[in-house]
Amino acid sequence: MSPADLCASGSEEAHQRALTAWVLMAQHRGFRAANDMSCYTAAGQGLYREDVGVVALANYCAVPLGGKRDKATAQRLKATGTKAGYPDVLLDVPTQRYHGLRIELKKPDQERLRDGGTSAEQRKWLQRLNGYGYLAVVCYGWSYAAQTIQKYLS
């Protein structure tokens, strides 16, 4: 299933699933294949083979912090160190300029909202992480996040 299919519902979670599908395709078959939507079909298998920059994608991780939870689950998560507003996606690959990449993923339609749909806690984390030498950004939609990851690794 392609990232476009996965994000059809338009939810933030759907965009995160789509981004993860793109990362997995890029990790196994290269950026060119991940960016070619025909590669997500059975007929498109095996079109590209490339290794450049994709090894680092093994360090991709999504943090399941958002979403609605009951009070007991929220208390348990807080007791284990979960912090409100921490970015959704992590790429722990240092570059000459940054310690790693952090992405707060939002639905594309949230860009036009006040503060870009981010909470005060999210904005504080992004500012703090940027100050500590990470590239911490907000991406609106899986495709913008994918472009950000690809540019970061190039």
Side-chain angles (χ1 to χ4, degrees):
M1 196 174 253
S2 76
D5 295 330
L6 289 168
C7 74
S9 74
S11 71
E12 191 172 306
E13 180 184 334
H15 278 271
Q16 192 156 329
R17 281 193 312 250
L19 177 61
T20 300
W22 178 88
V23 165
L24 291 171
M25 176 64 87
Q27 186 176 2
H28 295 288
R29 309 233 349 264
F31 288 127
R32 215 168 123 198
N35 294 329
D36 181 348
M37 292 302 123
S38 71
C39 286
Y40 293 87
T41 66
Q45 297 297 314
L47 290 179
Y48 303 113
R49 300 245 186 241
E50 66 177 304
D51 300 318
V52 181
V54 298
V55 173
L57 291 174
N59 293 341
Y60 168 89
C61 178
V63 180
L65 299 176
K68 303 293 181 204
R69 294 182 171 90
D70 61 73
K71 194 173 183 176
T73 301
Q75 289 173 339
R76 192 176 76 247
L77 288 171
K78 189 173 182 179
T80 60
T82 299
K83 304 280 185 177
Y86 197 79
D88 301 307
V89 174
L90 315 153
L91 186 60
D92 288 326
V93 178
T95 65
Q96 290 183 355
R97 204 166 158 196
Y98 300 107
H99 297 308
L101 175 65
R102 301 292 183 266
I103 296 175
E104 178 58 41
L105 187 60
K106 296 291 182 189
K107 301 183 296 184
D109 64 355
Q110 289 183 301
E111 189 170 11
R112 67 176 188 272
L113 298 176
R114 184 171 176 231
D115 294 321
T118 58
S119 68
E121 291 88 0
Q122 289 168 333
R123 290 189 301 279
K124 285 178 193 172
W125 269 113
L126 293 171
Q127 183 178 15
R128 187 180 309 141
L129 289 164
N130 279 311
Y132 289 150
Y134 290 86
L135 176 59
V137 297
V138 178
C139 290
Y140 296 94
W142 76 268
S143 62
Y144 183 56
Q147 290 171 18
T148 300
I149 290 170
Q150 197 167 347
K151 184 176 178 183
Y152 178 81
L153 292 174
S154 65

